[in-house]
Amino acid sequence: MVQEAMGELRGQGYKVTRSRRLVMEVLDKVDKPLSPYDIQRLLQQQGEALNHVTIYRTLDLLCRLNLAHRVLLSGGFIRCALSPQGGCHRFMVCRGCGSIREFIDDALCHEESGITRTLGFHTEHHYSESLGLCSDCYRKQLEEDSTYNRM
Amino acid sequence: MVQEAMGELRGQGYKVTRSRRLVMEVLDKVDKPLSPYDIQRLLQQQGEALNHVTIYRTLDLLCRLNLAHRVLLSGGFIRCALSPQGGCHRFMVCRGCGSIREFIDDALCHEESGITRTLGFHTEHHYSESLGLCSDCYRKQLEEDSTYNRM
DNA sequence: AACTAAATGCAACAATGTTGCATTTAGTTG
DNA sequence: CAACTAAATGCAACATTGTTGCATTTAGTT
């Protein structure tokens, strides 16, 4: 994943640097959205110091090259999991553990674009977040419910 | 709109204050997402001073009561246009003029929930933004294209 | 009119994000 | 491999956004 990303950088004429590799490695390792300062803190813990300005600029670049996205509901960044169709991004955001998974669905995009078209809007791409519980957290919740809420 | 919102406040046991009315009036008047500080600046222009802390707290309250939402793509707040079905919010965000319109569509929500369910995710509500051009900006763009890009 | 919990303002602070410029470095060339 | 150069980074300084505790004010009530 990181290697591919570095290749993409080089291919687009950007330099492959320690900062960019480190930022990409963190995004790759952690499946939760991370703010620029989150990334800085994580790197610091593993003894790698990066200036926050560099992290901001690196994330800008990674987003421009579609190697990362900004996740809005929680305000952090995650790595780009799927090659997006027409710039559409859809995420499942677990309110239990904070994990994020991306998914795509062409039929859904067509349907949503169709609905907005009837409202006079010309959609170029979608951004959606489904907030709820991942399977693990859902199971945990069920167990808790059956343990404590019986009456 | 503002009157209803104030009634809702009173009904829920909250006081109807100058600050709350002013914030709601601004959100009602302006159809673009506004950050807390945007709201402060707009009020200042019409000679009404509000402390930013008050605005933050007022917006928190309005969001809790579903009288406003936070729009994520641009980071601002807008008034709540529709009584949301199961907490689902969908917006059309024009990249031309920055205007925002909310819409709801039950069928779409069912479809999206169904897709995520097959991925093991239990969706509680959706948040989506369709980025593109409103009809006005789309028309303007077409005109510009035919004027300048003919070759 | 007096009362009181709620709401506001203020001050101080914390966190996040931005800009200009000097220094360093990745990738290239000889 | 050494020298070169545009690109990338770090630093400092600043701007904006968001938060907290506490004194003061005010909306709604008695």
Side-chain angles (χ1 to χ4, degrees), chain B residues 71-123:
Chain B
V71 171
L72 299 161
L73 213 52
S74 39
F77 290 85
I78 59 170
R79 68 181 168 82
C80 193
L82 299 166
S83 60
Q85 322 269 327
C88 171
H89 295 297
R90 297 185 183 274
F91 298 95
M92 295 171 280
V93 183
C94 178
R95 68 166 169 77
C97 63
S99 70
I100 299 244
R101 276 178 63 197
E102 188 170 4
F103 71 100
I104 50 176
D105 191 288
D106 279 352
L108 191 60
C109 287
H110 281 120
E111 187 169 341
E112 192 156 13
S113 297
I115 292 164
T116 52
R117 169 155 299 126
T118 67
L119 298 168
F121 193 84
H122 295 261
T123 297

Side-chain angles (χ1 to χ4, degrees), chain A residues 64-81:
Chain A
R64 277 205 306 281
L65 297 182
N66 246 297
L67 298 170
H69 310 307
R70 178 141 223 179
V71 171
L72 299 162
L73 211 53
S74 40
F77 291 85
I78 59 170
R79 68 181 168 82
C80 194

Side-chain angles (χ1 to χ4, degrees), chain A residues 45-80:
Chain A
Q45 284 170 18
Q46 60 186 69
E48 306 278 8
L50 276 193
N51 190 282
H52 69 279
V53 178
T54 300
I55 296 176
Y56 273 92
R57 296 197 270 227
T58 299
L59 289 169
D60 280 350
L61 178 63
L62 294 178
C63 286
R64 277 205 306 281
L65 297 182
N66 246 297
L67 298 170
H69 310 307
R70 178 141 223 179
V71 171
L72 299 162
L73 211 53
S74 40
F77 291 85
I78 59 170
R79 68 181 168 82
C80 194

Side-chain angles (χ1 to χ4, degrees), chain B residues 38-49:
Chain B
D38 287 340
I39 293 171
Q40 190 181 41
R41 277 174 225 115
L42 283 171
L43 286 173
Q44 215 136 38
Q45 285 171 18
Q46 59 187 70
E48 306 277 8

Side-chain angles (χ1 to χ4, degrees), chain A residues 67-136:
Chain A
L67 298 170
H69 310 307
R70 178 141 223 179
V71 171
L72 299 162
L73 211 53
S74 40
F77 291 85
I78 59 170
R79 68 181 168 82
C80 194
L82 299 165
S83 60
Q85 322 269 327
C88 172
H89 296 298
R90 296 184 185 274
F91 298 93
M92 294 170 279
V93 184
C94 178
R95 69 167 168 77
C97 64
S99 70
I100 297 246
R101 276 178 64 197
E102 188 169 2
F103 71 100
I104 50 176
D105 191 288
D106 280 353
L108 191 60
C109 287
H110 281 121
E111 186 170 340
E112 191 155 13
S113 298
I115 292 164
T116 52
R117 168 155 301 125
T118 66
L119 298 168
F121 193 83
H122 296 260
T123 297
E124 291 162 352
H125 56 262
H126 297 111
Y127 181 93
S128 97
E129 298 186 9
S130 295
L131 201 64
L133 291 172
C134 70
S135 47
D136 285 356

